[in-house]
């Protein structure tokens, strides 16, 4: 394993793969560390499906795309609609091999910048020195949980990123907090595994179930590539309008293939409701809702999303006080660089300055192009 590199890429998920590969394509010596697609493999259910299609890919150079993977494997995209997560994971491994990305599966436990360069301490006690660092912290660091979360005993609660196996909840009464894709997909997975009853509680109205065309995002990503700092140059009103469009299409419209898997006899939606009280007994939990309903559950699932807070990323502890933040998000330059020179951040942590689409794999190749172009300016 090297003890120094020009660019250290911390994380081994889609954004990290894209950045490391594009750096290599542009002659930058890079080293990528982390568990290969760890969050996707360990904190997502094996029976999960993607919402996106084969046009979302990882290659900033546009060669080893998801569509190229289908062609290489002799697979027809129309036979995989929706796309199983296993197929996407196969693509990421194919991409890694085609790009000659040698992954170092050790974890970074600490990052410092004692002088012009960075020093990353690894979980085996060794260090790697780097001129620049690109960090792609996964959403697993940023769980968004309600204040009453701690009132539910640990054995009777899970965030969706923690609940990836459902066999133990066969015959159980489950309440899901949240009303977006993950909430209803976890409801479907619970039904697939014979849960007795599933109640889905959320403050907004019941989402529609309809086929979504994600092509509307393409123009925004293209603008980001064409005009440096495009998102931040928009008026607040325009940003709000685009975010509302993204919310309507991406959040309040859910995939129609869920419908036959969430039978009315098992799944009940509680739109426009919030939990106002919790009562814990020896065997279950009772949640009192704002409409007066009381739900007794064996388990509570929090599909409550994610909220950025850079202070929650352990390996950034040694430098976080040198990174300017706003509401937990890093303040990024037009090239995805933080206020700590030489440290770049991509993925969910970048959505405040680059738009909501950079919290999804759609943003991977363009984020890689933006960051690497900045490093070579």
């Amino acid at each position: 394993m090297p003890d120094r590199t020009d660019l250290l890429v911390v994380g081994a998920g889609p954004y990290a793969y894209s950045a490391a590969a594009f750096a290599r394509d542009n002659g930058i010596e890079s080293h990528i560390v982390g568990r290969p697609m760890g969050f996707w493999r360990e904190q997502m259910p094996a029976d999960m499906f993607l919402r996106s299609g084969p046009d979302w890919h990882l290659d900033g150079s546009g060669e080893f795309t998801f569509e190229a993977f289908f062609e290489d494997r002799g697979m027809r995209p129309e036979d995989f609609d929706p796309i199983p997560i296993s197929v996407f994971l196969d693509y990421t491994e194919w991409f890694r091999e085609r790009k000659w990305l040698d992954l170092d599966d050790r974890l970074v436990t600490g990052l410092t910048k004692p002088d012009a360069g960075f020093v990353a301490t690894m979980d085996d006690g060794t260090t790697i020195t780097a001129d620049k660092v690109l960090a792609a912290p996964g959403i697993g660091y940023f769980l968004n949980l309600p204040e009453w979360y701690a009132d539910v005993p640990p054995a009777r609660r899970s965030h969706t990123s923690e609940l990836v196996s459902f066999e133990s909840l066969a015959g159980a009464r489950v309440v899901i907090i949240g009303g977006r894709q993950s909430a209803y997909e976890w409801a479907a997975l619970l039904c697939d595994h014979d849960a007795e009853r599933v109640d889905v509680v959320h403050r907004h109205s019941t989402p529609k179930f309809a086929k979504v065309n994600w092509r509307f995002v393409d123009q925004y990503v293209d603008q980001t590539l064409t005009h440096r700092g495009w998102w931040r140059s928009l008026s607040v009103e325009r940003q709000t309008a685009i975010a509302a469009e993204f919310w309507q299409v991406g959040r309040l419209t859910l995939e129609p293939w869920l419908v036959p898997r969430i039978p009315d006899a098992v799944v009940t939606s509680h739109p426009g409701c919030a939990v106002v009280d919790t009562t814990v007994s020896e065997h279950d939990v009772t949640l009192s809702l704002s409409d007066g309903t009381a739900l007794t559950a064996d388990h509570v699932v929090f599909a409550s999303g994610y909220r950025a807070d850079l202070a929650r990323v352990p390996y950034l502890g040694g430098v976080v006080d040198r990174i300017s933040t706003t509401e937990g998000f890093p303040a990024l330059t037009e090239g995805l660089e933080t206020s700590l020179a030489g440290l770049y951040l991509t993925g969910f942590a970048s959505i405040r300055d680059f738009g909501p689409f950079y919290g999804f794999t759609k943003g991977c190749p363009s984020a890689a192009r933006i960051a690497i172009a900045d490093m070579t300016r």
Side-chain angles (χ1 to χ4, degrees):
M1 298 296 178
D3 58 8
R4 82 154 314 279
T5 184
D6 292 343
L7 172 64
L8 180 66
V9 179
V10 183
Y15 275 88
Y17 276 26
S18 289
F22 198 68
R24 288 277 187 86
D25 289 350
N26 286 272
I28 299 176
E29 177 196 22
S30 62
H31 187 68
I32 181 170
V33 295
R35 291 193 301 274
M37 295 296 293
F39 186 85
W40 288 69
R41 294 184 186 280
E42 300 164 15
Q43 294 180 258
M44 292 187 182
D47 296 334
M48 187 176 161
F49 292 94
L50 303 188
R51 300 197 68 189
S52 53
D55 56 316
W56 288 21
H57 65 89
L58 305 183
D59 196 355
S61 296
E63 181 180 5
F64 296 114
T65 64
F66 203 1
E67 290 168 328
F69 164 80
F70 273 94
E71 183 176 352
D72 182 70
R73 292 292 174 90
M75 298 159 52
R76 301 191 314 163
E78 56 267 31
D79 294 334
F80 297 88
D81 184 17
I83 298 172
I85 190 174
S86 60
V87 173
F88 182 72
L89 288 171
D90 287 346
Y91 162 61
T92 63
E93 183 61 16
W94 178 87
F95 176 81
R96 186 188 69 79
E97 292 172 354
R98 294 302 186 278
K99 290 291 189 177
W100 298 92
L101 294 180
D102 295 323
L103 261 65
D104 179 345
D105 62 5
R106 294 177 299 167
L107 300 180
V108 174
T109 58
L111 184 69
T112 59
K113 191 180 184 185
D115 45 43
F118 293 86
V119 177
T121 301
M122 311 306 293
D123 57 6
D124 63 359
T126 61
T127 61
I128 299 174
T129 302
D131 297 331
K132 292 181 172 62
V133 172
L134 185 145
I139 56 175
Y141 293 114
F142 304 130
L143 305 190
N144 181 34
L145 300 167
E147 292 182 1
W148 55 270
Y149 168 83
D151 296 339
V152 182
R156 298 196 175 277
R157 71 187 188 211
S158 302
H159 187 271
T160 48
S161 65
E162 300 165 330
L163 181 62
V164 297
S165 177
F166 301 86
E167 289 79 5
S168 64
L169 293 174
R173 302 161 297 172
V174 182
V175 174
I176 298 176
I177 307 300
R180 307 177 198 173
Q181 177 71 17
S182 63
Y184 281 93
E185 186 160 7
W186 263 244
L189 288 163
L190 285 161
C191 290
D192 292 345
H193 290 83
D194 300 318
E196 177 185 319
R197 192 188 76 226
V198 181
D199 290 278
V200 186
V201 179
H202 44 82
R203 288 173 292 185
H204 55 74
S205 58
T206 301
K208 297 185 301 180
F209 292 89
K211 186 69 174 176
V212 170
N213 185 346
W214 288 93
R215 292 284 185 183
F216 81 96
V217 179
D218 293 354
Q219 61 178 316
Y220 302 136
V221 173
D222 290 345
Q223 290 284 357
T224 306
L225 284 171
T226 304
H227 306 288
R228 277 175 58 86
W230 171 76
W231 176 260
R232 72 187 68 203
S233 71
L234 299 177
S235 66
V236 172
E237 292 76 17
R238 182 60 178 146
Q239 287 182 346
T240 301
I242 293 173
E245 179 185 17
F246 198 88
W247 178 267
Q248 182 62 45
V249 175
R251 306 301 198 192
L252 294 185
T253 306
L254 308 184
E255 298 300 323
W257 41 262
L258 288 174
V259 174
R261 295 171 57 200
I262 48 175
D264 292 342
V266 180
V267 179
T268 302
S269 296
H270 301 268
C273 288
V275 174
V276 296
D277 192 33
T278 59
T279 303
V280 178
S281 72
E282 182 179 356
H283 301 292
D284 50 38
V285 178
T286 299
L287 305 181
S288 299
L289 306 187
S290 52
D291 68 351
T293 302
L295 302 174
T296 300
D298 302 300
H299 201 84
V300 180
V301 177
F302 292 87
S304 44
Y306 303 88
R307 180 177 60 191
D309 183 356
L310 218 57
R312 294 187 190 176
V313 183
Y315 64 78
L316 293 179
V319 295
V320 72
D321 61 341
R322 300 167 66 182
I323 303 171
S324 297
T325 61
T326 300
E327 297 178 345
F329 288 98
L332 300 174
T333 68
E334 295 175 349
L336 287 161
E337 188 176 20
T338 69
S339 58
L340 178 59
L343 176 63
Y344 293 74
L345 282 170
T346 61
F348 183 76
S350 72
I351 65 173
R352 187 183 73 92
D353 286 339
F354 283 80
F357 11 95
Y358 283 90
F360 291 78
T361 56
K362 174 64 180 178
C364 290
S366 58
R369 292 174 60 184
I370 291 166
I372 301 308
D374 194 79
M375 294 179 193
T376 56
R377 285 172 70 89

PDB file of all heavy atoms in Angstrom, residues 270-294:
ATOM      1  N   HIS A 270     -51.204   7.182   6.878  1.00  0.00           N
ATOM      2  CA  HIS A 270     -51.717   8.211   7.783  1.00  0.00           C
ATOM      3  C   HIS A 270     -51.130   9.554   7.355  1.00  0.00           C
ATOM      4  O   HIS A 270     -50.211  10.090   7.994  1.00  0.00           O
ATOM      5  CB  HIS A 270     -51.340   7.889   9.230  1.00  0.00           C
ATOM      6  CG  HIS A 270     -51.858   6.575   9.724  1.00  0.00           C
ATOM      7  ND1 HIS A 270     -53.064   6.444  10.382  1.00  0.00           N
ATOM      8  CD2 HIS A 270     -51.336   5.318   9.639  1.00  0.00           C
ATOM      9  CE1 HIS A 270     -53.264   5.174  10.688  1.00  0.00           C
ATOM     10  NE2 HIS A 270     -52.226   4.466  10.247  1.00  0.00           N
ATOM     11  N   PRO A 271     -51.648  10.127   6.258  1.00  0.00           N
ATOM     12  CA  PRO A 271     -51.111  11.399   5.769  1.00  0.00           C
ATOM     13  C   PRO A 271     -51.515  12.560   6.670  1.00  0.00           C
ATOM     14  O   PRO A 271     -52.528  12.498   7.379  1.00  0.00           O
ATOM     15  CB  PRO A 271     -51.742  11.521   4.383  1.00  0.00           C
ATOM     16  CG  PRO A 271     -53.027  10.761   4.487  1.00  0.00           C
ATOM     17  CD  PRO A 271     -52.746   9.613   5.406  1.00  0.00           C
ATOM     18  N   GLY A 272     -50.720  13.612   6.642  1.00  0.00           N
ATOM     19  CA  GLY A 272     -51.029  14.804   7.424  1.00  0.00           C
ATOM     20  C   GLY A 272     -50.933  14.592   8.913  1.00  0.00           C
ATOM     21  O   GLY A 272     -51.570  15.317   9.683  1.00  0.00           O
ATOM     22  N   CYS A 273     -50.156  13.611   9.343  1.00  0.00           N
ATOM     23  CA  CYS A 273     -50.073  13.283  10.769  1.00  0.00           C
ATOM     24  C   CYS A 273     -48.638  13.340  11.274  1.00  0.00           C
ATOM     25  O   CYS A 273     -47.686  13.121  10.529  1.00  0.00           O
ATOM     26  CB  CYS A 273     -50.623  11.870  11.026  1.00  0.00           C
ATOM     27  SG  CYS A 273     -52.410  11.739  10.870  1.00  0.00           S
ATOM     28  N   ALA A 274     -48.527  13.608  12.559  1.00  0.00           N
ATOM     29  CA  ALA A 274     -47.236  13.575  13.237  1.00  0.00           C
ATOM     30  C   ALA A 274     -47.410  12.824  14.546  1.00  0.00           C
ATOM     31  O   ALA A 274     -48.524  12.738  15.087  1.00  0.00           O
ATOM     32  CB  ALA A 274     -46.728  14.987  13.496  1.00  0.00           C
ATOM     33  N   VAL A 275     -46.320  12.274  15.055  1.00  0.00           N
ATOM     34  CA  VAL A 275     -46.353  11.605  16.357  1.00  0.00           C
ATOM     35  C   VAL A 275     -46.253  12.656  17.444  1.00  0.00           C
ATOM     36  O   VAL A 275     -45.331  13.489  17.442  1.00  0.00           O
ATOM     37  CB  VAL A 275     -45.193  10.589  16.468  1.00  0.00           C
ATOM     38  CG1 VAL A 275     -45.132   9.994  17.874  1.00  0.00           C
ATOM     39  CG2 VAL A 275     -45.355   9.492  15.427  1.00  0.00           C
ATOM     40  N   VAL A 276     -47.209  12.624  18.386  1.00  0.00           N
ATOM     41  CA  VAL A 276     -47.212  13.624  19.459  1.00  0.00           C
ATOM     42  C   VAL A 276     -46.884  13.022  20.821  1.00  0.00           C
ATOM     43  O   VAL A 276     -46.602  13.750  21.774  1.00  0.00           O
ATOM     44  CB  VAL A 276     -48.574  14.361  19.522  1.00  0.00           C
ATOM     45  CG1 VAL A 276     -48.800  15.159  18.239  1.00  0.00           C
ATOM     46  CG2 VAL A 276     -49.729  13.389  19.747  1.00  0.00           C
ATOM     47  N   ASP A 277     -46.916  11.683  20.926  1.00  0.00           N
ATOM     48  CA  ASP A 277     -46.599  11.060  22.209  1.00  0.00           C
ATOM     49  C   ASP A 277     -46.227   9.593  21.979  1.00  0.00           C
ATOM     50  O   ASP A 277     -46.674   8.969  21.016  1.00  0.00           O
ATOM     51  CB  ASP A 277     -47.810  11.147  23.159  1.00  0.00           C
ATOM     52  CG  ASP A 277     -47.435  10.770  24.587  1.00  0.00           C
ATOM     53  OD1 ASP A 277     -46.288  11.060  24.986  1.00  0.00           O
ATOM     54  OD2 ASP A 277     -48.269  10.171  25.285  1.00  0.00           O
ATOM     55  N   THR A 278     -45.372   9.085  22.854  1.00  0.00           N
ATOM     56  CA  THR A 278     -44.993   7.672  22.797  1.00  0.00           C
ATOM     57  C   THR A 278     -45.180   7.042  24.168  1.00  0.00           C
ATOM     58  O   THR A 278     -44.871   7.656  25.193  1.00  0.00           O
ATOM     59  CB  THR A 278     -43.524   7.501  22.361  1.00  0.00           C
ATOM     60  OG1 THR A 278     -42.681   8.173  23.292  1.00  0.00           O
ATOM     61  CG2 THR A 278     -43.293   8.075  20.972  1.00  0.00           C
ATOM     62  N   THR A 279     -45.697   5.819  24.176  1.00  0.00           N
ATOM     63  CA  THR A 279     -45.858   5.060  25.412  1.00  0.00           C
ATOM     64  C   THR A 279     -45.202   3.701  25.210  1.00  0.00           C
ATOM     65  O   THR A 279     -45.538   2.979  24.263  1.00  0.00           O
ATOM     66  CB  THR A 279     -47.341   4.873  25.765  1.00  0.00           C
ATOM     67  OG1 THR A 279     -47.969   6.156  25.864  1.00  0.00           O
ATOM     68  CG2 THR A 279     -47.483   4.134  27.087  1.00  0.00           C
ATOM     69  N   VAL A 280     -44.285   3.368  26.084  1.00  0.00           N
ATOM     70  CA  VAL A 280     -43.521   2.129  25.944  1.00  0.00           C
ATOM     71  C   VAL A 280     -43.958   1.140  27.012  1.00  0.00           C
ATOM     72  O   VAL A 280     -44.025   1.467  28.203  1.00  0.00           O
ATOM     73  CB  VAL A 280     -42.012   2.401  26.069  1.00  0.00           C
ATOM     74  CG1 VAL A 280     -41.223   1.097  25.981  1.00  0.00           C
ATOM     75  CG2 VAL A 280     -41.558   3.380  24.986  1.00  0.00           C
ATOM     76  N   SER A 281     -44.288  -0.085  26.575  1.00  0.00           N
ATOM     77  CA  SER A 281     -44.601  -1.152  27.515  1.00  0.00           C
ATOM     78  C   SER A 281     -43.525  -2.225  27.396  1.00  0.00           C
ATOM     79  O   SER A 281     -42.579  -2.098  26.621  1.00  0.00           O
ATOM     80  CB  SER A 281     -45.976  -1.747  27.224  1.00  0.00           C
ATOM     81  OG  SER A 281     -45.931  -2.529  26.040  1.00  0.00           O
ATOM     82  N   GLU A 282     -43.688  -3.296  28.123  1.00  0.00           N
ATOM     83  CA  GLU A 282     -42.686  -4.354  28.104  1.00  0.00           C
ATOM     84  C   GLU A 282     -42.579  -5.018  26.731  1.00  0.00           C
ATOM     85  O   GLU A 282     -41.492  -5.457  26.333  1.00  0.00           O
ATOM     86  CB  GLU A 282     -43.039  -5.408  29.155  1.00  0.00           C
ATOM     87  CG  GLU A 282     -42.026  -6.548  29.261  1.00  0.00           C
ATOM     88  CD  GLU A 282     -42.407  -7.552  30.329  1.00  0.00           C
ATOM     89  OE1 GLU A 282     -43.417  -7.324  31.044  1.00  0.00           O
ATOM     90  OE2 GLU A 282     -41.707  -8.577  30.445  1.00  0.00           O
ATOM     91  N   HIS A 283     -43.691  -5.050  25.997  1.00  0.00           N
ATOM     92  CA  HIS A 283     -43.725  -5.825  24.764  1.00  0.00           C
ATOM     93  C   HIS A 283     -43.891  -5.002  23.498  1.00  0.00           C
ATOM     94  O   HIS A 283     -43.656  -5.512  22.397  1.00  0.00           O
ATOM     95  CB  HIS A 283     -44.850  -6.864  24.822  1.00  0.00           C
ATOM     96  CG  HIS A 283     -44.719  -7.818  25.961  1.00  0.00           C
ATOM     97  ND1 HIS A 283     -43.718  -8.756  26.034  1.00  0.00           N
ATOM     98  CD2 HIS A 283     -45.468  -7.951  27.097  1.00  0.00           C
ATOM     99  CE1 HIS A 283     -43.843  -9.448  27.158  1.00  0.00           C
ATOM    100  NE2 HIS A 283     -44.899  -8.986  27.823  1.00  0.00           N
ATOM    101  N   ASP A 284     -44.314  -3.736  23.603  1.00  0.00           N
ATOM    102  CA  ASP A 284     -44.562  -2.964  22.392  1.00  0.00           C
ATOM    103  C   ASP A 284     -44.464  -1.462  22.668  1.00  0.00           C
ATOM    104  O   ASP A 284     -44.149  -1.047  23.796  1.00  0.00           O
ATOM    105  CB  ASP A 284     -45.931  -3.313  21.789  1.00  0.00           C
ATOM    106  CG  ASP A 284     -47.066  -3.257  22.819  1.00  0.00           C
ATOM    107  OD1 ASP A 284     -47.045  -2.350  23.689  1.00  0.00           O
ATOM    108  OD2 ASP A 284     -47.975  -4.104  22.757  1.00  0.00           O
ATOM    109  N   VAL A 285     -44.734  -0.682  21.638  1.00  0.00           N
ATOM    110  CA  VAL A 285     -44.687   0.778  21.710  1.00  0.00           C
ATOM    111  C   VAL A 285     -45.991   1.310  21.127  1.00  0.00           C
ATOM    112  O   VAL A 285     -46.441   0.843  20.078  1.00  0.00           O
ATOM    113  CB  VAL A 285     -43.499   1.346  20.897  1.00  0.00           C
ATOM    114  CG1 VAL A 285     -43.484   2.865  20.943  1.00  0.00           C
ATOM    115  CG2 VAL A 285     -42.178   0.788  21.399  1.00  0.00           C
ATOM    116  N   THR A 286     -46.605   2.278  21.806  1.00  0.00           N
ATOM    117  CA  THR A 286     -47.809   2.919  21.284  1.00  0.00           C
ATOM    118  C   THR A 286     -47.488   4.353  20.911  1.00  0.00           C
ATOM    119  O   THR A 286     -46.974   5.116  21.743  1.00  0.00           O
ATOM    120  CB  THR A 286     -48.957   2.882  22.298  1.00  0.00           C
ATOM    121  OG1 THR A 286     -49.286   1.518  22.599  1.00  0.00           O
ATOM    122  CG2 THR A 286     -50.194   3.586  21.748  1.00  0.00           C
ATOM    123  N   LEU A 287     -47.778   4.699  19.665  1.00  0.00           N
ATOM    124  CA  LEU A 287     -47.543   6.052  19.170  1.00  0.00           C
ATOM    125  C   LEU A 287     -48.882   6.765  19.029  1.00  0.00           C
ATOM    126  O   LEU A 287     -49.795   6.264  18.356  1.00  0.00           O
ATOM    127  CB  LEU A 287     -46.838   6.010  17.807  1.00  0.00           C
ATOM    128  CG  LEU A 287     -45.520   5.229  17.731  1.00  0.00           C
ATOM    129  CD1 LEU A 287     -44.957   5.308  16.311  1.00  0.00           C
ATOM    130  CD2 LEU A 287     -44.504   5.766  18.734  1.00  0.00           C
ATOM    131  N   SER A 288     -48.992   7.920  19.657  1.00  0.00           N
ATOM    132  CA  SER A 288     -50.205   8.729  19.536  1.00  0.00           C
ATOM    133  C   SER A 288     -49.986   9.757  18.439  1.00  0.00           C
ATOM    134  O   SER A 288     -48.992  10.495  18.450  1.00  0.00           O
ATOM    135  CB  SER A 288     -50.505   9.436  20.859  1.00  0.00           C
ATOM    136  OG  SER A 288     -50.717   8.487  21.885  1.00  0.00           O
ATOM    137  N   LEU A 289     -50.934   9.816  17.487  1.00  0.00           N
ATOM    138  CA  LEU A 289     -50.801  10.715  16.350  1.00  0.00           C
ATOM    139  C   LEU A 289     -51.589  12.003  16.561  1.00  0.00           C
ATOM    140  O   LEU A 289     -52.498  12.078  17.400  1.00  0.00           O
ATOM    141  CB  LEU A 289     -51.277  10.028  15.070  1.00  0.00           C
ATOM    142  CG  LEU A 289     -50.635   8.671  14.733  1.00  0.00           C
ATOM    143  CD1 LEU A 289     -51.105   8.214  13.352  1.00  0.00           C
ATOM    144  CD2 LEU A 289     -49.127   8.739  14.806  1.00  0.00           C
ATOM    145  N   SER A 290     -51.248  13.003  15.780  1.00  0.00           N
ATOM    146  CA  SER A 290     -51.872  14.319  15.915  1.00  0.00           C
ATOM    147  C   SER A 290     -53.357  14.308  15.550  1.00  0.00           C
ATOM    148  O   SER A 290     -54.082  15.235  15.928  1.00  0.00           O
ATOM    149  CB  SER A 290     -51.136  15.328  15.039  1.00  0.00           C
ATOM    150  OG  SER A 290     -51.018  14.862  13.703  1.00  0.00           O
ATOM    151  N   ASP A 291     -53.843  13.275  14.854  1.00  0.00           N
ATOM    152  CA  ASP A 291     -55.275  13.199  14.533  1.00  0.00           C
ATOM    153  C   ASP A 291     -56.052  12.387  15.558  1.00  0.00           C
ATOM    154  O   ASP A 291     -57.231  12.082  15.361  1.00  0.00           O
ATOM    155  CB  ASP A 291     -55.478  12.616  13.130  1.00  0.00           C
ATOM    156  CG  ASP A 291     -55.083  11.146  13.031  1.00  0.00           C
ATOM    157  OD1 ASP A 291     -54.490  10.614  13.999  1.00  0.00           O
ATOM    158  OD2 ASP A 291     -55.361  10.525  11.984  1.00  0.00           O
ATOM    159  N   GLY A 292     -55.388  11.996  16.647  1.00  0.00           N
ATOM    160  CA  GLY A 292     -56.052  11.242  17.701  1.00  0.00           C
ATOM    161  C   GLY A 292     -55.901   9.736  17.589  1.00  0.00           C
ATOM    162  O   GLY A 292     -56.289   9.002  18.511  1.00  0.00           O
ATOM    163  N   THR A 293     -55.346   9.247  16.502  1.00  0.00           N
ATOM    164  CA  THR A 293     -55.136   7.804  16.327  1.00  0.00           C
ATOM    165  C   THR A 293     -54.016   7.304  17.233  1.00  0.00           C
ATOM    166  O   THR A 293     -53.026   8.004  17.458  1.00  0.00           O
ATOM    167  CB  THR A 293     -54.772   7.491  14.857  1.00  0.00           C
ATOM    168  OG1 THR A 293     -55.822   7.967  14.017  1.00  0.00           O
ATOM    169  CG2 THR A 293     -54.576   5.998  14.642  1.00  0.00           C
ATOM    170  N   ALA A 294     -54.168   6.105  17.765  1.00  0.00           N
ATOM    171  CA  ALA A 294     -53.111   5.456  18.542  1.00  0.00           C
ATOM    172  C   ALA A 294     -52.703   4.179  17.817  1.00  0.00           C
ATOM    173  O   ALA A 294     -53.558   3.356  17.473  1.00  0.00           O
ATOM    174  CB  ALA A 294     -53.591   5.145  19.949  1.00  0.00           C
TER     175      ALA A 294
END
